[in-house]
Amino acid sequence: MTDKNQEDEKEFQAPPPPILVWEGQSDWQKPRQEVRYFHNRKVDGWSGYVKTAKITGWVDNVRIALFVEKYKRDHGDTDPTNDEILDWMVNDPYNEFALQGLAESIVKNGIRQQIVVQADGTLLDGNRRYFASLYKLRESERKGDASSKQMVSQLPVFVTGPSATAADLDAVVVEENFVDDCRRPWPNFIKAQHVFRKYQELKEDGFNKTTAIAQLLEHFGEKRSQIDRWIRMMNYIEEFQDFHVTGDEELGHDPKDEYDVKWRSQERFEYFDELTKPEVKRILEADAEMRDKVFERLYAKDFKSFAQIRKIPAISKDSRARDKFMVGDGAEAVEDAIQWVTITGAAKRAMDVQDRIMSFAKFLGGLTVNDLGSLDVLSINALKDIARNAATMAESVTDGVEE
């Protein structure tokens, strides 16, 4: 042990919390004091084992924030239980958590990375590992599977000590979810939402944009371009959500459920990157009717790829394509509008080529012997090559075509 570690351990003296100790505990399960560093912050605590049943899922975990918000709205502002969170994660329509596969891996190999909890058993990090273990624990209890139950009844943990501050706990969340260590990371939407909330807090505290972003860079360790990108996207997502939640009676646009809109924002998150690109954004800012229709089609999942978003400027500038986009139904309307601008674009390019050929032909037709005689040898040879190549290509195109 280094002098620094000896000094750290000497500073931290406290009995382990009750969740780390139980009757009949094996020696290898007993807690030991430990000092760990999360995002450059020293956190005192204990390493050991905790019974799975003693852990409480962290309802403030941003990964499940939308589910918790909706649950509290529908259940008198009460928090969901562990089993209710588990049931939602297992049946998550987007399969973000993939608990069953992880649960099987844990039964075979155990948990290799400690989860992190507070002294009262509240989970800080290891959301999927904990709920996958709880899933397998509930299943093994129903089936009477003693061997599987043994593998998931106690979990390896690091428990934060009583001196841990709110900043220390935040450092745990940042370190375990923003730093790449090959585990299943937070989705980009969750990261962006976390960064954006921090950004809004800094702005409310009086920091200007430059200073606020500088603090975000230090806090999250992300690149400036990524932070800027997420802030742009989240600002636009707020506009998207406000449009759908508020509605507009005059336009016949009915308000939608707040949490349905938030789910759709999360599901279509990367599309907002395309919407914030300069050319697309300029079109939507200048054309409110087009912006509203884009928001409607994005919610309805009429856009089938990011590339389709990039066609919005071309659609907006072509009156026929714009009509197809604004009036047509579903994804077919988007495809029809894009097909129209693609065809007309190709036709325009063909016309441009034809115009250039006719202009060149007119130029050649006006040349005299004296004009050619004034050219140098290189220019005359270049003209011969052009004529020869043009003739060859024209013959290949007209081959077999009746006069």
Side-chain angles (χ1 to χ4, degrees), residues 99-377:
L99 290 190
Q100 290 93 328
L102 180 58
E104 293 300 328
S105 174
I106 289 171
V107 167
K108 292 177 182 177
N109 307 304
I111 290 183
R112 299 171 182 177
Q113 174 83 20
Q114 289 177 316
I115 64 174
V116 182
V117 303
Q118 298 181 67
D120 63 357
T122 301
L123 189 68
L124 280 177
D125 178 67
N127 200 54
R128 290 181 63 245
R129 280 165 282 158
Y130 163 65
F131 278 106
S133 299
L134 183 63
Y135 168 78
K136 204 63 183 177
L137 179 63
R138 296 287 183 258
E139 182 183 74
S140 63
E141 288 172 341
R142 289 195 307 272
K143 295 181 176 179
D145 183 352
S147 62
S148 293
K149 182 177 180 181
Q150 185 178 9
M151 290 295 292
V152 294
S153 292
Q154 299 93 29
L155 306 179
V157 296
F158 175 78
V159 180
T160 57
S163 63
T165 64
D168 293 333
L169 302 183
D170 185 56
V172 172
V173 174
V174 171
E175 176 73 18
E176 299 300 319
N177 293 288
F178 279 81
V179 176
D180 183 14
D181 65 352
C182 300
R183 292 181 299 153
R184 190 182 181 101
W186 276 353
N188 280 337
F189 174 80
I190 300 298
K191 289 185 177 181
Q193 188 179 52
H194 200 62
V195 168
F196 191 63
R197 286 176 180 171
K198 185 70 174 177
Y199 174 70
Q200 290 176 313
E201 290 173 7
L202 291 169
K203 293 296 292 293
E204 288 171 4
D205 289 341
F207 291 94
N208 61 35
K209 182 178 180 179
T210 301
T211 307
I213 289 179
Q215 291 214 19
L216 294 175
L217 294 175
E218 181 178 355
H219 187 74
F220 294 106
E222 292 283 352
K223 294 180 179 179
R224 171 65 187 261
S225 58
Q226 185 67 283
I227 295 291
D228 286 339
R229 174 175 173 265
W230 282 343
I231 290 174
R232 285 197 307 270
M233 292 170 71
M234 291 305 299
N235 274 320
Y236 218 62
I237 283 173
E238 284 198 337
E239 190 174 337
F240 171 84
Q241 292 176 349
D242 183 65
F243 170 80
H244 284 293
V245 172
T246 303
D248 191 321
E249 290 184 7
E250 292 184 6
L251 297 176
H253 176 67
D254 296 328
K256 297 181 177 65
D257 180 86
E258 176 185 0
Y259 295 99
D260 287 343
V261 175
K262 287 182 176 180
W263 284 120
R264 186 70 82 236
S265 301
Q266 178 170 338
E267 182 187 18
R268 312 297 277 180
F269 175 67
E270 295 297 342
Y271 284 74
F272 289 93
D273 184 37
E274 295 297 333
L275 288 174
T276 58
K277 296 291 174 62
E279 189 176 2
V280 177
K281 188 177 180 183
R282 276 196 301 271
I283 291 294
L284 299 186
E285 286 178 346
D287 188 344
E289 189 179 21
M290 173 63 80
R291 186 212 67 157
D292 292 353
K293 179 56 71 173
V294 168
F295 280 178
E296 288 176 5
R297 293 201 180 283
L298 187 61
Y299 182 88
K301 298 199 278 191
D302 291 341
F303 292 106
K304 299 303 180 185
S305 70
F306 305 149
Q308 291 186 327
I309 297 287
R310 298 169 197 156
K311 294 291 185 180
I312 288 173
I315 292 171
S316 177
K317 294 171 186 175
D318 186 298
S319 60
R320 184 71 180 273
R322 190 179 190 281
D323 287 344
K324 290 176 177 289
F325 182 84
M326 299 296 291
V327 178
D329 295 327
E332 187 177 348
V334 177
E335 292 170 359
D336 284 349
I338 291 173
Q339 186 178 37
W340 178 262
V341 296
T342 302
I343 291 172
T344 55
K348 185 177 184 303
R349 287 192 297 274
M351 290 175 66
D352 288 343
V353 170
Q354 183 170 310
D355 288 344
R356 289 198 296 272
I357 289 173
M358 296 306 295
S359 296
F360 186 56
K362 187 176 180 181
F363 163 73
L364 289 177
L367 288 176
T368 66
V369 174
N370 289 335
D371 291 330
L372 294 174
S374 66
L375 298 176
D376 59 29
V377 176

